[in-house]
Amino acid sequence: MVRRVYIETFGCQMNEVDSARMMALLGKADYRPADSLSDADLVLLNTCSIREKADQKIYSALGHLRRWKRGREGRLVAVGGCLAQQEGPALRERAPHVDIVFGTHSIARLPDLLRLAEGCGAPVSVDLSGDTSHWEVLPYLADGAASAMVTVMQGCDNFCAYCIVPHVRGREISRPSAEIVGEVQELTERGVCEVVLLGQNVNSYGKKEGEIPFPELLRRISRVRGIRRIRFLTSHPRDLDRETIGLFSEIDTLCPHIHLPIQAGSERILASMGRGYTRKEYLGKIRDLRMAMPGIAFSSDFLVGFPGETEEDFQDTLSVMEEVRYDSSFSFRFSPRRGTRAAEMTGSVAPEEASERLHRLQDLQDRHTRERLAACVGKALEVLVEGKSAKDPSRLCGRTPCNKTVNFSPVSSGHAAMRRVEIRSAGHHSLSGEEGRPHG
Ligand code: SAH
Ligand code: SF4
Ligand code: F3S
């Protein structure tokens, strides 16, 4: 009997690709994607616990699911991902209607856990067992998808003072390179031409396992037939090496964009966060990247209001932004996480003060984003189509090599994934243009 599953994904790209894997696993157990909650038999929340707000969002979603579950006999609720890993059995104390709790190392067990739950069990599986057998499953791919995410590693060994990730994802484990290249080949055979390589710290790929180093992995992937774009994230500024930087001038399918999270610009705060690089070293890598690939786009993450951050420290963050002029960034107010070093630190910044700093930072980023977008106007850029434009379905939406969103009017109704688009204007967060007419 075919049943329907509705998956809601919170958090980062690691969760997105895991959700696509869960979908593929559930497909083998006769589950198909549900269009909405009302026709679902199973709801699966793939959760995040990076900040307190993320936790709250999930508990509130779980609150709504209590009523949904009562709507029809036999409906099931499963909770996976980082919050499930963190809370374990305690999650069910707050939300007794949850049928399955499964952690970040239990993805491959999902079909078994589901059978247990259908038989009236209430399984909880949250051991950080190091199981990576879910990597054997090709993540679910929508028909006609031109871009796909490929896991290269899981977990993190860095233990930055504020961060829950190593606690909920476990230690770093790299995936065998042959398996990664094999997956990329399979994806290109299905029509994918862009891959995004994923890991919390891709630059330390393979070091523990004695695998080929990350730059060599990039070279091998670039040789797969049909690959037209390669991206990777996240790069740790300490581990991004000269060889990888040099690849931006060697591999022409490597997109001219890098996400290089600095978090803060003050030397003192960076040391207290345990990030393992200085501001000077970070800026040195930015300079080397610009030399290897003139015009490369940069994005970053910023964490504002870390314990002990003074106005002067914060000014150092703003000055890094002025110096780099990021194309875009994500910025967050520090949120203490249980079990991390920063949760025990003194010198907490008042929430109003931290919010005010965050606003100032976001205002500056908005100015830089607009400036970087405006610099694209008048250019003809190659756009990888992602789908219809949200505001106007007669137009298409896609991304430039430097990762900017473009809405544009197509000249034909063809299905080509790559289009040459003339950029006519720049908005606050995206570009607008028209597909160039073919010559001749
Ligand atoms: N591996 C990536 C980060 C993954 S988490 C890296 O090393 O950069 C994504 C972002 O969430 C982080 O870059 C950080 O800016 C933010 N973040 C992590 N823990 C946080 C916390 N406790 N409070 C607020 N923001 C946090
Ligand atoms: Fe978290 Fe630091 Fe690991 Fe990134 S590198 S996931 S911020 S511990
Ligand atoms: Fe969140 Fe887990 Fe990603 S905590 S940010 S979903 S690794």
Side-chain angles (χ1 to χ4, degrees), residues 156 158-160 162-163 165-166 200 236 275:
C156 183
N158 283 321
F159 289 92
C160 300
Y162 49 82
C163 186
V165 171
Q200 290 293 357
H236 192 291
R275 288 289 287 175

Side-chain angles (χ1 to χ4, degrees), residues 50-51 162 200 261 263 275 301 303 332-333 335 337:
I50 197 82
R51 286 168 286 275
Y162 49 82
Q200 290 293 357
Q263 311 297 354
R275 288 289 287 175
D301 292 348
L303 200 160
F332 313 98
R333 205 175 84 180
S335 163
R337 305 314 281 143

Side-chain angles (χ1 to χ4, degrees), residues 57-76:
K57 221 159 115 183
I58 290 148
Y59 278 113
S60 132
L62 280 173
H64 294 303
L65 287 176
R66 200 186 295 260
R67 257 189 63 200
W68 170 83
K69 204 177 154 177
R70 281 200 298 261
R72 195 166 71 222
E73 184 84 8
R75 280 180 163 172
L76 295 175

Side-chain angles (χ1 to χ4, degrees), residues 80-341:
C82 296
L83 182 70
Q85 185 64 50
Q86 178 186 277
E87 304 283 274
L91 196 135
R92 202 176 270 128
E93 280 161 33
R94 277 180 73 175
H97 56 297
V98 170
D99 299 284
I100 303 171
V101 180
F102 68 110
T104 54
H105 290 209
S106 301
I107 296 173
R109 292 200 62 209
L110 186 56
D112 288 344
L113 299 171
L114 206 50
R115 265 190 297 277
L116 284 170
E118 282 162 356
C120 297
V124 176
S125 176
V126 289
D127 289 342
L128 283 178
S129 58
D131 179 24
T132 54
S133 49
H134 58 281
W135 285 344
E136 289 157 24
V137 182
L138 186 74
Y140 174 84
L141 195 66
D143 279 345
S147 178
M149 294 185 275
V150 177
T151 307
V152 304
M153 66 188 324
Q154 71 174 31
C156 183
D157 290 350
N158 283 321
F159 289 92
C160 300
Y162 49 82
C163 186
I164 196 78
V165 171
H167 305 265
V168 290
R169 290 263 167 180
R171 294 301 81 76
E172 243 169 66
I173 311 176
S174 292
R175 193 177 178 194
S177 56
E179 201 177 301
I180 298 170
V181 175
E183 186 165 307
V184 173
Q185 266 158 353
E186 196 170 340
L187 288 166
T188 56
E189 282 157 19
R190 291 179 176 213
V192 165
C193 59
E194 175 185 82
V195 286
V196 186
L197 309 179
L198 288 187
Q200 290 293 357
N201 182 9
V202 291
N203 303 106
S204 70
Y205 171 80
K207 286 189 182 151
K208 272 172 146 175
E209 289 79 4
E211 253 292 354
I212 55 169
F214 186 63
E216 185 52 28
L217 179 69
L218 286 174
R219 286 197 188 93
R220 290 196 191 171
I221 290 173
S222 72
R223 290 197 284 265
V224 173
R225 248 171 85 118
I227 279 296
R228 297 182 61 184
R229 283 185 176 185
I230 304 172
R231 304 183 186 279
F232 56 83
L233 83 163
T234 300
S235 262
H236 192 291
R238 181 198 59 212
D239 297 324
L240 175 68
D241 56 15
R242 286 195 161 276
E243 195 181 348
T244 306
I245 293 176
L247 289 185
F248 281 96
S249 41
E250 184 185 313
I251 302 179
D252 56 7
T253 44
L254 195 56
C255 288
H257 163 240
I258 186 165
H259 184 63
L260 200 59
I262 188 169
Q263 311 297 354
S266 142
E267 298 290 14
R268 208 172 58 81
I269 295 294
L270 282 173
S272 167
M273 286 176 166
R275 288 289 287 175
Y277 52 83
T278 63
R279 170 194 176 104
K280 202 164 156 229
E281 284 163 350
Y282 180 92
L283 289 172
K285 293 196 183 184
I286 294 278
R287 191 194 51 226
D288 293 347
L289 282 157
R290 283 204 162 115
M291 253 152 41
M293 170 51 72
I296 188 169
F298 293 107
S299 57
S300 184
D301 292 348
F302 294 98
L303 200 160
V304 172
F306 187 77
E309 185 189 78
T310 60
E311 174 62 27
E312 203 182 336
D313 291 318
F314 177 65
Q315 287 298 331
D316 288 343
T317 300
L318 296 182
S319 72
V320 159
M321 294 177 75
E322 291 284 10
E323 206 161 328
V324 180
R325 301 190 106 73
Y326 294 97
D327 294 70
S328 63
S329 68
F330 299 100
S331 43
F332 313 98
R333 205 175 84 180
F334 169 69
S335 163
R337 305 314 281 143
R338 208 177 345 122
T340 63
R341 296 197 302 289

